[in-house]
Amino acid sequence: MSRVVTSQRVATLVGEFPRSPAYLGLAESLRVLIGDGRIGIDVRLPSERDLTAALDVSRTTVTRAYEVLRESGYAEARRGSGTFTTVPGGQRRAHDRSLMPGTGGEDVIDLNCAAHSAPPGLVEAYQRATEQLPAYLSGPGYFPLGVPALQARIAAAYEARGVPTVPEQVMVTAGALAAASVVAQAFTAPGERVVVESPTYPNATQAVRHAGARLVAATVDPDGWDLDALAATLRQTSPRLAYLIPDFQNPTGQLMSDAQREELARTLARTRTTVVADEAHQALALRPGLADDMPRPLAAYAPDAITIGSASKSFWGGLRLGWVRAPLADMDRLLQARIGLDLGAPVFEQLVLADLLDRADEVLPVHRERLLAGRDALVAGVREHLPSWRFRVPDGGLALWCELPEALGTATTVEAERRGVVVAPGPVFAVEGGLDRFVRIPWTASPDDLTEAVRRLAAAWEHVSTDAARPAARRAAGRVMVA
C-alpha cells in the first residue's frame, strides 16, 4: 500500500516558495523535496483541492505544478488513485541498471558496475588449479562449508590481521552477496529490525529484505559515520543485526578508524546487537603504505561479529566467491541456512582462489596500481570538467561519491546515458529514498575512458542543470528533462 503525504505536511515543507510564477515555484519546491527524500518515492500527493486550500493558492496553480512535476519525471498520475511521486526514468530502471553491466553498444562507457578487468596472474592461477582439480574428482564435490584448503587460507589471512581464526569458522559462498543472504536467513526472522547504513550497497540490503527483515537506516555522511547517532539508533530500535561496511564504505569510500571500531564495539555490546561487517573492499587500499597499516577487523573488537569477504572486488568479478567468518558457535546455524539456498560453491573456483591467496603479495599490488591510476584520472577529470561537484578523495575502494549542487542526480544520469555513459544516481543507494544530490562514479575503467566519461557527464549536467534553471522555457518547448 502506498504512503500518503498530507496537504498540511506539504505546506510546511514547501514554505515560502517562489511565486513568480507560483506554479513553477511550487513545482520546483516539490521536485527538490522529492529528490532530497523529504517526500519519499511512491507517495500519494494531496489532492489538488486539498493542497489549494492548504497553500491558499488558486486551483490552477496546483494543477499546473503537478503537470510540470509529471513532465519532469517526478510524479505520475494513476487513474482513480491520484498523483504519486516517482523519479525520472523510474525507480525500477535505476535499480535494474545498478545491478548489472549495461549492453548499450561499443561506444557506451558503463560505470554502473564497480569492478575492474582481471589482473595479471589470473590465467596462471586457473592453470595451476586445473592441475589440482583431478584430486577432487573422485569425491562427490559437495563442500557446504568450503574446500578445506581454501578455508585454511582464509583463516590464516584473518590470523595475520590480528583475529585468531580456525578453518572451521569459515564458510565459502558463491560471492559476498550470497554470504549476506545466508547471514540474513540465519539470523533474522520476518519483521525483525536490521540497521543498515544509508547510503549503502543496494544488493546487500535487498538480500536482507528478502529474509523478511525491516530495514532501519543509519546515515553515513560524506564526512563519515556519526557514531553517536548510530548508537542512538541502536538503542531506540533494538535491532537483531547491524550491517555495516567499515572498509572503504560503498559508496562513500569512508574508512572507519581503529578508535571508531573500538567505540562502536562497546555500543554493540551494550545494545546486544550482532554486527555484520562487509569487508568486500578491504584489500583495496590505495594510499601509499595504507595496505600494510589498515585498521584491524571489526571482529578484533567485537568477538561475536560476523564478517563477510569477497574475491570479486579484490581479484576479479568473474571469480564469484565470497565467505563468512563467524564464531564457532554460530557455524551450525549458518550451515542450516546455507543448505536451504545451495550446497556449496564450485570446487574449481575455490582452488583458483586458494592459489591467488597464496600469491596475493604478487597480484594485489598490480591490481591496486591500476585502480590508483583510474582514481587519479577520475579525480582530475571531475575537478576540471565538473568544478561545482563536491567530493572527497577516498584512500581506497572503487568509486567517487559526488555531491551535486542540486537534487538532479537521477536526471543527470538519465541524460548521461543518452550521451553514452552509464552511472548510478544516489537514490539507488538510499534505504528510505532521497540522496538525489549524489552520483557514484567508479574508477574501474581505463584512465582514457574515465576522462571521456567525465566529459560526457559534464555535458549531461550542463544540459540538465540549465533546463532546471529555466523550467518555463523547457515547458514551452514541450521537452522533458529525461528520456
Side-chain angles (χ1 to χ4, degrees), residues 200-218:
T200 192
Y201 179 49
N203 298 8
T205 56
Q206 193 65 18
V208 176
R209 282 194 176 99
H210 282 163
R214 296 167 55 192
L215 301 187
V216 178

Side-chain angles (χ1 to χ4, degrees), residues 309-437:
S310 172
S312 300
K313 304 302 185 183
S314 301
F315 295 105
W316 181 48
L319 191 59
R320 301 303 309 151
L321 291 176
W323 58 85
V324 180
R325 181 223 174 259
L328 273 174
D330 292 329
M331 294 307 295
D332 184 63
R333 189 173 186 173
L334 286 165
L335 180 59
Q336 293 304 313
R338 198 269 172 75
I339 60 178
L341 300 172
D342 64 54
L343 297 178
V347 172
F348 182 60
E349 278 70 17
Q350 292 188 63
L351 298 178
V352 174
L353 179 56
D355 183 274
L356 287 169
L357 291 176
D358 282 341
R359 294 167 171 79
D361 290 343
E362 304 169 17
V363 177
L364 285 178
V366 177
H367 185 41
R368 293 190 194 106
E369 287 178 7
R370 297 189 307 161
L371 292 174
L372 180 60
R375 187 199 68 178
D376 291 350
L378 177 60
V379 167
V382 175
R383 283 175 173 165
E384 178 181 357
H385 298 288
L386 290 161
S388 64
W389 289 22
R390 296 176 55 213
F391 61 89
R392 56 172 294 278
V393 181
D395 288 329
L398 294 169
L400 209 59
W401 184 238
C402 297
E403 182 176 2
L404 284 57
E406 298 182 72
L408 293 170
T410 303
T412 300
T413 59
V414 171
E415 178 62 27
E417 190 168 340
R418 292 178 55 196
R419 297 169 184 268
V421 59
V422 182
V423 293
V428 169
F429 305 92
V431 175
E432 297 176 336
L435 296 179
D436 204 28
R437 287 182 179 271

Side-chain angles (χ1 to χ4, degrees), residues 195-200 216-231 233 243-244 249 252 254 256 401 429-433 435 438:
V195 166
V196 296
E197 298 158 328
S198 185
T200 192
V216 178
T219 300
V220 179
D221 296 320
D223 295 325
W225 293 267
D226 183 340
L227 292 185
D228 290 338
L230 177 56
T233 299
Y243 170 82
L244 307 175
Q249 200 265 355
T252 68
Q254 289 288 341
M256 190 178 289
W401 184 238
F429 305 92
V431 175
E432 297 176 336
L435 296 179
F438 293 89

Side-chain angles (χ1 to χ4, degrees), residues 9-57:
R9 177 61 177 163
V10 171
T12 299
L13 289 172
V14 299
E16 295 299 322
F17 59 90
R19 301 197 178 217
S20 297
Y23 80 94
L24 284 178
L26 176 58
E28 180 65 9
S29 296
L30 288 171
R31 185 190 63 76
V32 170
L33 291 167
I34 296 166
D36 281 348
R38 285 174 284 172
I39 297 178
I41 306 301
D42 198 32
V43 170
R44 191 177 73 193
L45 293 170
S47 69
E48 294 177 3
R49 183 180 62 184
D50 288 349
L51 192 55
T52 294
L55 295 176
D56 191 22
V57 296

